[in-house]
Amino acid sequence: MGWPIVIICILIAGVFYMRMKTRADKDRREPDAGIAILDFGRAFPEEAIRAIHATADEKAYFVRLHDGKAGFMAVHGTHFLCHLIEAGKVNVSHAESGRGLTVHFTDFSHLDGVYEFESPEIAAEVSLWLLGSFNPQSEIKPIQAD
């Protein structure tokens, strides 16, 4: 009488295992920008994210931070390797495709590579972040005293 209960429990455990394995494989294949933001926040809790751009294959994310600094995240399984880019510690040039950047991290060289984006405009914006030359201008004009 106990064998049907044991068999049912084994089947339920098998179905549960297969569903969780499928979900983990999907998470590994399709990284999520929300998870990337959470991982970066755990790695650098004192940094506020202003903007984020994913590469075309969503295997890497470039982050613009609140004080003009930049960050980088690379997919590593179901988590992200987070790196805060220091001023002068990155070399950037355009990729041959026109939609990407060739990036060399002088302090973290195993992240070097060519990162392709959805458009040349995104690549240009990210290159400005990395080079530290992104300086937003305010639309509000200062009031001149007479």
Side-chain angles (χ1 to χ4, degrees), residues 15-112:
V15 169
F16 179 76
Y17 173 78
M18 294 303 287
R19 289 189 69 207
M20 294 306 289
K21 182 141 178 68
T22 303
R23 183 179 294 172
D25 289 342
K26 180 181 177 262
D27 288 346
R28 211 175 353 272
R29 282 190 317 272
E30 302 170 14
D32 182 14
I35 301 293
I37 291 169
L38 290 174
D39 277 359
F40 195 84
R42 278 192 289 266
F44 302 103
E46 67 282 353
E47 302 293 342
I49 296 174
R50 292 188 68 185
I52 185 169
H53 284 301
T55 56
D57 61 0
E58 293 189 9
K59 298 293 183 192
Y61 294 85
F62 289 87
V63 179
R64 183 176 134 216
L65 303 172
H66 72 287
D67 56 358
K69 291 189 276 185
F72 175 78
M73 294 176 288
V75 173
H76 187 69
T78 58
H79 297 285
F80 291 86
L81 174 73
C82 301
H83 179 61
L84 188 61
I85 300 170
E86 303 277 331
K89 300 285 185 180
V90 65
N91 297 322
V92 180
S93 62
H94 67 86
E96 291 183 18
S97 69
R99 296 182 312 122
L101 300 172
T102 301
V103 182
H104 169 65
F105 297 94
T106 58
D107 59 343
F108 219 47
S109 63
H110 72 278
L111 295 176
D112 293 355

